[in-house]
Amino acid sequence: MNEIKCRVWDEETRSMLDIHEGSNFEVEVNAHGVLIFMRKNKPIKGVIMLYTGLKDRNSKEICDGDILKAYIPNTTLTPTEIISPIIFKEGCFIHFKMNNSAMLVKDVITLSNSPACNFSGVEILGNVYENPELLNN
């Protein structure tokens, strides 16, 4: 079974927190089944960013909310560059490409590692909380 990993965007401190075994955080489930991350017995108001189980070309772990740059083969000789966030929706991690059509993240990585894209792979540029300006294009 895969280890469940995540990061939490702390909305109060506006910083990213890595949540992992041995870290200084506790996780509780309230009466409504909602996960609550605690630090020093104080709840953290934040957004959970789940690890996809995949890594970018620099071996960085890809999480929900990360902004990826990927190259997708097309009918021309030059692959299309796509920059968009990873979204966890309906049980899947997806990456949007042109015309608002979605692809599974694992399929984007496979295509970006193909000979048609010069095996460039995908790269994490930032995330939607710390680098929203990357999505303004």
Side-chain angles (χ1 to χ4, degrees):
M1 183 169 153
N2 289 342
E3 177 183 9
I4 297 174
K5 296 181 182 181
C6 68
R7 296 187 308 227
V8 174
W9 172 249
D10 185 330
E11 293 177 342
E12 290 178 3
T13 64
R14 306 204 47 79
S15 62
M16 194 64 67
L17 308 172
D18 280 317
I19 308 295
H20 54 82
E21 193 172 326
S23 63
N24 226 2
F25 301 96
E26 295 177 25
V27 180
E28 296 181 4
V29 179
N30 71 11
H32 302 287
V34 176
L35 287 176
I36 299 173
F37 289 89
M38 308 281 287
R39 180 176 45 204
K40 298 178 184 172
N41 294 324
K42 180 183 174 200
I44 297 169
K45 183 180 179 190
V47 180
I48 299 171
M49 301 170 68
L50 291 173
Y51 172 49
T52 64
L54 304 168
K55 295 183 179 181
D56 77 352
R57 69 181 189 189
N58 300 313
S59 297
K60 290 177 64 177
E61 295 178 343
I62 300 172
C63 291
D64 171 32
D66 283 339
I67 300 170
L68 289 187
K69 176 169 69 172
Y71 293 92
I72 307 297
N74 60 31
T75 55
T76 69
L77 295 177
T78 306
T80 302
E81 179 182 274
I82 310 268
I83 295 175
S84 85
I86 300 303
I87 298 169
F88 186 72
K89 184 175 182 180
E90 297 178 9
C92 298
F93 292 98
I94 57 175
H95 185 268
F96 284 91
K97 61 179 198 165
M98 292 183 300
N99 303 324
N100 289 326
S101 60
M103 295 180 70
L104 293 175
V105 174
K106 66 182 181 93
D107 294 338
V108 171
I109 290 173
T110 300
L111 287 172
S112 289
N113 284 321
S114 71
C117 293
N118 297 320
F119 301 103
S120 60
V122 299
E123 181 178 12
I124 297 172
L125 299 178
N127 64 68
V128 297
Y129 303 103
E130 295 173 304
N131 313 100
E133 71 279 359
L134 293 174
L135 299 175
N136 291 339
N137 299 2

